[in-house]
Structure formats: C-alpha cells, structure tokens
Amino acid sequence: MPHASATARTNQMRALMGGAFLPSFLGLAATRVWLQVNLFASYTQSDDGLFTVVNNLAYGLVMVIGAAIALRKPFSKGNRTAVAWLGFAVMTFSTVLILAGKETGAVDILAVASVCGALGGGMWTAAYVRLGLRQSVLYGFLSLALGSLGGLALSFLPEALSYTVSMFMPAIALLCYQRAMKTDVGPQPAPEPIYDKEPRSTMLFIFGGLAVFGLALGISRGFPAGEPVPMDALQRVVHQMGVVVISLFIIWWFIVKRKRLSFSFLWRIEIMLVAAGMLILSVFPGHFTGLAIATVNIADTLMLGVLWITLQDVARHTTTDVYAVYGFAWA
C-alpha cells in the first residue's frame, strides 16, 4: 500500500507538470548565473555604470541582427546547434577577458561578452518552444529561482573565484541544452498559429509597452543619483531571495494549485514591485535607497521570467521563427 500511495503521488505530480520531470531544462539557470557574474557585477550594485550601457547596447544589437536574419530565413537545426556551440565556446573564453577588461577599463571586451550572452541565452529559446505552457512556467521560473540562488552565493565569493566558477556554467548549459533538445517532452496539443491572425500593430504595441516598462526600470534603478548604487549583503539577499520566493509562488499557484495564471497577473506583479520601490524612494529619500533599489531589482530580474514565458507562448502559437520572436522583443 505505501508503494501504491507513492506511485499515485508520482502520477499526480506528473499530471500537474504535464508529464515527467525534465531536469535538463533547468540548464537555463546556468546561463543566468554566468550572465550575473560576467555582465551584471553579481548584482553587488544597482548597475555597473558605463559597462551596463555598453553591454545592453551590444546585447540588444546582436538580438536585433539575429532576429532579422531569422525573420528573413528561419534557422535550421544545424544553425541552432552552431549558435549553441558558438555561445559556449566564446562565453567560456571571454570570462578571462572580462576580468582583464574590468581592470584596464576596456569596455570593448565587455561588448564582446555581451555578444556571448545573447548567443548563450538565445539558444534556449529553441528548447523551450517545444514545451507546453504549464511546463514552460515550471522550468522557466524554477530556473530563475535557481539562477538567483547561484548568483547570490557567488556574490559573496572573492572576485577571482567567482569568475573561475562561472567559467563552468556555459559547459553545464550546453550539456543540458543538448539533452533538452533530445528529451521527449510528452504529448502536447498541436499549437495553433493564433498570433498570425493578429495585425502587426498589435505586436508593435506590445513591443512599445516592453520598451516603456524597460525604460521605467532603468530610470528607477538609477534614481535619484543617476549612478550605480552599491548593494550590501542584506540588500543582495532581499533582491535574490525575493525573486526566489515570488518564482516559487507562481509555480505553486499555477502548477500545484492549478489556478488560472494570466499574463496580465504577472505584469501586475511587475508594476507593483516597481511602484513600491519608487514609493520608498519618494517617501524615505536617502534612508532606504538600498532597499528601494533591491525592490526594483526584484522586478527587473523577475521580468526575465515573465517575458520568457510570454514570448514562449507567442512563439509557440505563430509561424514566425522563435529566434525572431524572442530577439525583437528582448532587444
């Protein structure tokens, strides 16, 4: 009887997740850990000054170029494999260059690393588009939570050791990606290209909304000084653990409790976090700046999961290449 009970619980969890648990899709967390260490200074401050400007411009430019190519001619299986291997190779090698570049102030090295980040993150879109929405929410937000825990741990290590550990992340991500592409994700209903019927103005409206919200996040993270704000240990814990708690809540709400999860609900969480951070800055200027920045950083990091799930649903229900969908919106 105990064995039968355990089997029943296992079957119930599989039904909740839409099939067997697929740990290979959590390799996305390794990519995020690499990005946190190499491009975002392990979130030890609100941003990284000029380096943040350069890496965002380079990151966005590569995304636009890749999206434009995919829009003109969808990527073949061989092309996607090449992107994954190229991302792995250059991400691994560039970690050493980034550390040297920060010491010399060479922002061009960071720009190269941003190109690597775009390749390393972009390759996962081909894997996640195979999943159903319930699976995508589970693995997407669980990867976000694991990435936050990993990034938080590395933020307390000496810089050289932190970079050394991060050098193994691209290899882990590549191995997981290869496994994820070969894994049977279970029976999925055939997706209908419902977004193909939407007018182009709808997509432009969505992209415009993303850009405005991204601008609001950028301004709030630099407000009111307009420069990087250092984050001490407590603020880093608030930021990263806040992401973990909210990510697990979303998984619990949608996967375990099987409640309705609308995209508007996710975006309302984002707006409330940014509003809370701005309110703290307005009411308690100078006294709780770190707490406010940590709160806004929760929204900034959580947006990765919200945007990832939103675009996964769009890419799955359109005939447009997945790289084009993710590339234009992310840029």
Side-chain angles (χ1 to χ4, degrees):
M1 288 299 293
H3 175 72
S5 178
T7 302
R9 286 196 297 269
T10 300
N11 291 336
Q12 182 182 23
M13 285 305 298
R14 286 184 174 182
L16 289 173
M17 295 184 300
F21 185 67
L22 310 174
S24 56
F25 284 88
L26 299 180
L28 179 61
T31 299
R32 181 164 176 265
V33 171
W34 186 91
L35 289 170
Q36 288 181 91
V37 174
N38 291 270
L39 294 188
F40 302 112
S42 295
Y43 290 113
T44 55
Q45 50 190 10
S46 59
D47 60 61
D48 207 11
L50 181 60
F51 290 106
T52 297
V53 176
V54 173
N55 77 50
N56 273 288
L57 289 175
Y59 196 91
L61 180 61
V62 173
M63 285 290 190
V64 167
I65 293 174
I69 294 174
L71 188 63
R72 183 182 181 88
K73 184 179 181 181
F75 278 45
S76 65
K77 182 179 179 181
N79 293 146
R80 295 178 178 182
T81 301
V83 168
W85 275 99
L86 183 61
F88 151 72
V90 190
M91 285 168 71
T92 303
F93 179 70
S94 67
T95 300
V96 178
L97 298 180
I98 295 169
L99 183 57
K102 282 182 174 294
E103 293 176 347
T104 61
V107 296
D108 55 332
I109 295 177
L110 193 65
V112 172
S114 300
V115 174
C116 307
L119 295 173
M123 72 181 190
W124 278 101
T125 61
Y128 268 74
V129 77
R130 302 174 60 225
L131 300 175
L133 179 60
R134 193 169 297 276
Q135 292 174 313
S136 183
V137 169
L138 173 65
Y139 300 118
F141 279 103
L142 196 52
S143 293
L144 191 63
L146 290 174
S148 288
L149 290 174
L152 177 63
L154 292 184
S155 72
F156 291 104
L157 296 181
E159 187 177 64
L161 180 57
S162 177
Y163 275 91
T164 301
V165 173
S166 76
M167 288 181 64
F168 295 95
M169 294 298 109
I172 294 174
L174 178 64
L175 291 174
C176 289
Y177 168 78
Q178 291 176 326
R179 182 62 181 266
M181 292 298 288
K182 297 177 182 178
T183 298
D184 180 8
V185 299
Q188 299 292 335
E192 297 181 9
I194 56 176
Y195 288 102
D196 287 357
K197 302 175 184 178
E198 293 288 336
R200 291 186 178 182
S201 58
T202 301
M203 290 295 112
L204 293 176
F205 180 78
I206 293 175
F207 290 166
L210 292 174
V212 170
F213 188 75
L215 178 62
L217 279 173
I219 292 175
S220 58
R221 284 195 300 167
F223 182 87
E227 59 187 21
V229 178
M231 298 179 67
D232 60 25
L234 177 60
Q235 292 156 4
R236 296 203 298 274
V237 169
V238 170
H239 165 209
Q240 300 283 30
M241 292 308 298
V243 174
V244 171
V245 170
I246 296 176
S247 295
L248 294 181
F249 167 76
I250 291 173
I251 292 172
W252 173 81
W253 180 265
F254 187 53
I255 305 299
V256 179
K257 299 295 290 183
R258 298 186 71 85
K259 300 288 187 179
R260 181 175 180 271
L261 183 68
S262 65
F263 293 114
S264 60
F265 172 74
L266 295 176
W267 285 106
R268 279 196 291 269
I269 294 177
E270 287 285 290
I271 294 172
M272 286 189 296
L273 286 169
V274 174
M278 296 297 289
L279 180 62
I280 295 172
L281 283 171
S282 301
V283 178
F284 306 105
H287 299 288
F288 296 94
T289 299
L291 176 61
I293 294 299
T295 302
V296 175
N297 270 2
I298 293 175
D300 183 55
T301 304
L302 193 66
M303 185 179 177
L304 297 175
V306 175
L307 190 57
W308 187 265
I309 298 304
T310 303
L311 297 178
Q312 190 272 349
D313 184 68
V314 173
R316 185 169 173 79
H317 295 90
T318 182
T319 55
T320 303
D321 187 83
V322 60
Y323 284 171
V325 173
Y326 272 88
F328 283 123
W330 215 272

